[in-house]
Amino acid sequence: MSTNTPSTPMAARARIAINLKRLRIERGLSQESMAELADFHRTYISQFERCVTNISIDRLERIAHALDVGVSDLLALASDEGEQRKVHEQD
């Protein structure tokens, strides 16, 4: 069974990256201010948003708390591909 077929749901790490960036931008937060709220270094937020690093459940909870959302909001599927492209083009 291939994991890279078009019908395969987006990987959790990519969903987190898209949702983190979208929620951060919606709240008018820079990566630096987001990092301060979650008690991370700014480069760590950048790495999450670029899918460069994995994230632990504990760190995911810290980000959700900083954004005042549930962990499930960070794992949610994007509503459409247009939204995904828009998030990647911003910032």
Side-chain angles (χ1 to χ4, degrees), residues 17 31 42-54:
Q31 288 180 344
R42 183 202 55 82
T43 58
Y44 205 52
I45 297 297
S46 173
Q47 290 173 351
F48 289 148
E49 289 183 358
R50 292 180 292 126
C51 292
V52 174
T53 189
N54 287 320

Side-chain angles (χ1 to χ4, degrees), residues 2-90:
S2 174
T3 59
N4 292 325
T5 62
S7 63
T8 302
M10 186 185 312
R13 188 166 60 169
R15 291 193 313 259
I16 291 167
I18 288 168
N19 289 323
L20 167 58
K21 187 171 185 177
R22 177 182 53 80
L23 291 164
R24 177 181 63 76
I25 290 169
E26 284 175 1
R27 284 157 176 73
L29 298 170
S30 66
Q31 288 180 344
E32 186 171 356
S33 58
M34 175 68 231
E36 288 176 15
L37 288 172
D39 197 26
F40 293 133
H41 191 275
R42 183 202 55 82
T43 58
Y44 205 52
I45 297 297
S46 173
Q47 290 173 351
F48 289 148
E49 289 183 358
R50 292 180 292 126
C51 292
V52 174
T53 189
N54 287 320
I55 185 169
S56 70
I57 295 296
D58 293 336
R59 290 181 178 188
L60 188 62
E61 285 180 326
R62 283 170 50 189
I63 288 174
H65 184 266
L67 290 169
D68 196 29
V69 298
V71 170
S72 61
D73 294 314
L74 293 171
L75 288 165
L77 290 172
S79 61
D80 62 34
E81 285 187 32
E83 181 181 332
Q84 295 172 22
R85 277 194 296 273
K86 185 173 73 173
V87 169
H88 285 296
E89 292 170 357
Q90 293 176 353

